[in-house]
Amino acid sequence: MDGYFGSYALVGLLLVVGAGFVAVSFAANRLLRPHRPTPEKRRGYECGLDPAGGGWAQSHVRYYVFAFLYLIFAVDAVFLFPWATVFARPGFGAVTLAEMFVFLGIVAAGVVYAWRKGVLTWV
């Protein structure tokens, strides 16, 4: 498996082995599981209580905005911690520092935008 196409063959072989493992696992599960359906088992389950009401519930859009803001800060942390460890090594200078300040500026602009729109006020 040397050469240019050897690497692709290895990746293809790993994909085939992985897909085979998943297929064998699902087949073994289907063959070994107990299968005794009853009307009680087919009924919906809601925290130990009988289901009540319809299956449709509306959520306020504010929760999606909070989730989006969380993702912004999570991605910010994912980039800041590795950057801090790499920046401590010799050979990284002002360019790396400037790139991180540009990134932090974009994140800060997003936070200021959310603050000006009133998203960060708790209701």
Side-chain angles (χ1 to χ4, degrees):
M1 294 224 180
D2 288 339
Y4 181 74
F5 292 111
S7 299
Y8 287 112
L10 182 63
V11 170
L13 178 67
L14 286 174
L15 285 174
V16 168
V17 168
F21 179 75
V22 169
V24 168
S25 298
F26 276 115
N29 181 27
R30 186 152 181 98
L31 291 173
L32 299 175
R33 70 178 180 184
H35 184 68
R36 295 181 205 93
T38 63
E40 285 291 319
K41 288 182 182 178
R42 293 185 186 271
R43 195 171 60 166
Y45 181 73
E46 204 172 292
C47 299
L49 303 174
D50 290 333
W56 179 256
Q58 291 184 345
S59 298
H60 200 281
V61 72
R62 181 180 304 128
Y63 299 121
Y64 296 111
V65 175
F66 288 144
F68 184 67
L69 285 173
Y70 168 75
L71 284 176
I72 288 174
F73 287 113
V75 169
D76 183 24
V78 165
F79 282 124
L80 278 178
F81 288 123
W83 172 82
T85 59
V86 169
F87 188 67
R89 296 182 186 161
F92 296 95
V95 175
T96 307
L97 188 64
E99 288 174 354
M100 188 47 64
F101 278 121
V102 167
F103 174 72
L104 289 175
I106 292 170
V107 171
V111 170
V112 168
Y113 176 78
W115 176 64
R116 301 254 342 236
K117 286 289 188 179
V119 174
L120 300 178
T121 57
W122 190 261
V123 177

